[in-house]
């Protein structure tokens, strides 16, 4: 199989579990060196070993991207450690659901900080490096892939604040796509439906039961399904930009 990302460097946030973990592996399989960004250093270290054992190259970058300086430092450490930056996958996120009346405002702030501001901080720091990669890199193109959600296209009761952050991801991504298109920095959004990750477990038992009732026992997506969508986007030829991918379980309506 052709390693289509050979000679490039990718940064993946939220790489310690779920979609981020699977995406890092997917990009490494395609030949990219991968910077693993997240807060749980032990998990990042284990993932780095897995990539290395398979013949790839990874850099562990412990960071909390909700802090603008930490996000910028993670980008700089990636470039210093791996030599360049061609692809950014903004995956780190949090989903805390429940009704607006009586909501814990700290939970709203936490989601805004990670789902939206962390993504924006990381992107802001990465753009100069991505523009440079598109100008002189092996593929003559660079990519920003933002992990949104089906809840960034449709609003749902019990998800008001979460939907607000994911709608924001979509708006930010499209505006940025227009700004960077002529410089061959592609900006894409992947919008998964229900995925079988630990994201749901951050909610109360009552909310998790409601989610289970709504889903009705359908077969959810796996992290690898979403990772393959990211892989598809970033391996397109230079003249092809996939702006948006909506991927949902077959049974989800």
């Amino acid at each position: 199989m052709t390693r289509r990302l050979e000679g490039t460097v990718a940064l993946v946030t939220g790489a310690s579990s779920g979609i981020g973990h699977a995406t890092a592996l997917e990009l490494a399989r395609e030949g990219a060196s991968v910077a693993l960004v997240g807060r749980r250093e032990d998990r990042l270290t284990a993932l780095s070993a897995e990539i290395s054992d398979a013949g790839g190259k990874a850099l562990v970058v412990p960071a909390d991207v909700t802090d603008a300086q930490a996000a910028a430092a993670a980008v700089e450490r990636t470039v210093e450690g791996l030599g360049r930056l061609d692809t950014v996958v903004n995956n780190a996120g949090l989903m805390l659901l429940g009704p607006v009346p009586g909501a814990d405002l700290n939970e709203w702030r936490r989601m805004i900080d990670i789902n939206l501001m962390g993504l924006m901080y990381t992107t802001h720091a990465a753009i100069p490096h991505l523009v440079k990669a598109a100008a002189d890199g092996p593929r003559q193109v660079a990519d920003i892939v933002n992990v949104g959600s089906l809840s960034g296209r449709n609003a749902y009761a019990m998800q008001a604040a979460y939907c607000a952050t994911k709608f924001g991801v979509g708006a930010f991504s499209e505006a940025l796509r227009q700004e960077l298109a002529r410089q061959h920095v592609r900006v894409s959004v992947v919008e998964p439906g229900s995925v079988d990750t630990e994201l749901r477990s951050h909610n109360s038992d009552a909310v998790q039961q409601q989610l289970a009732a709504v889903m009705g026992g359908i077969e959810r997506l796996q992290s690898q399904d979403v990772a393959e969508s990211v892989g598809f986007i970033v391996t397109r030829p230079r003249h092809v930009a996939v702006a948006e991918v909506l991927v949902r379980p077959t049974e989800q309506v």
Side-chain angles (χ1 to χ4, degrees):
M1 179 178 177
T2 303
R3 290 161 61 87
R4 292 170 287 187
L5 300 180
E6 194 77 49
T8 71
V9 172
L11 180 157
V12 180
T13 70
S16 60
S17 66
I19 293 169
H21 181 281
T23 297
L25 289 171
E26 181 71 18
L27 299 182
R29 278 192 288 267
E30 286 285 0
S33 298
V34 186
L36 310 173
V37 179
R39 293 180 296 180
R40 293 177 286 188
E41 186 172 358
D42 57 335
R43 293 195 180 190
L44 299 179
T45 300
L47 175 56
S48 176
E50 185 177 353
I51 290 172
S52 296
D53 290 346
K57 184 175 183 179
L59 176 69
V60 173
V61 185
D64 180 353
V65 296
T66 64
D67 179 275
Q69 291 183 337
V75 170
E76 293 309 312
R77 185 172 172 188
T78 298
V79 175
E80 291 169 4
L82 297 176
R84 55 184 302 109
L85 182 59
D86 303 84
T87 303
V88 171
V89 181
N90 285 304
N91 162 76
L94 184 63
M95 181 180 73
L96 300 171
L97 309 182
V100 170
D104 182 340
L105 300 186
N106 289 326
E107 292 189 349
W108 289 6
R109 173 56 61 187
R110 288 172 63 198
M111 284 193 289
I112 292 169
D113 284 348
I114 186 64
N115 296 358
L116 194 53
M117 296 310 300
L119 176 152
M120 293 170 71
Y121 292 149
T122 305
T123 299
H124 181 266
I127 285 172
H129 301 289
L130 296 171
V131 169
K132 183 177 186 299
D136 64 16
R139 302 183 67 237
Q140 297 287 288
V141 70
D143 286 282
I144 300 167
V145 182
N146 295 326
V147 178
S149 171
L150 179 59
S151 296
R153 295 172 64 97
N154 304 317
Y156 300 99
M158 305 289 287
Q159 299 188 26
Y162 179 69
C163 288
T165 65
K166 291 302 187 178
F167 269 80
V169 168
F172 177 77
S173 301
E174 173 55 21
L176 183 61
R177 183 195 67 80
Q178 295 175 30
E179 291 184 26
L180 297 179
R182 294 299 178 90
Q183 294 166 284
H184 284 90
V185 178
R186 303 181 294 202
V187 183
S188 309
V189 183
V190 175
E191 297 165 315
S194 184
V195 187
D196 187 16
T197 71
E198 67 180 37
L199 203 63
R200 298 192 313 278
S201 68
H202 299 149
N203 290 277
S204 68
D205 290 342
V207 169
Q208 291 188 59
Q209 290 171 6
Q210 290 179 21
L211 286 172
V214 169
M215 290 296 103
I218 69 169
E219 184 178 5
R220 291 181 169 88
L221 297 173
Q222 298 300 307
S223 295
Q224 182 60 30
D225 300 321
V226 185
E228 288 173 2
S229 296
V230 176
F232 175 82
I233 289 169
V234 302
T235 55
R236 294 310 88 202
R238 181 174 186 258
H239 69 285
V240 178
V242 181
E244 208 172 356
V245 173
L246 170 62
V247 53
R248 52 160 64 99
T250 301
E251 300 171 274
Q252 186 173 3
V253 297

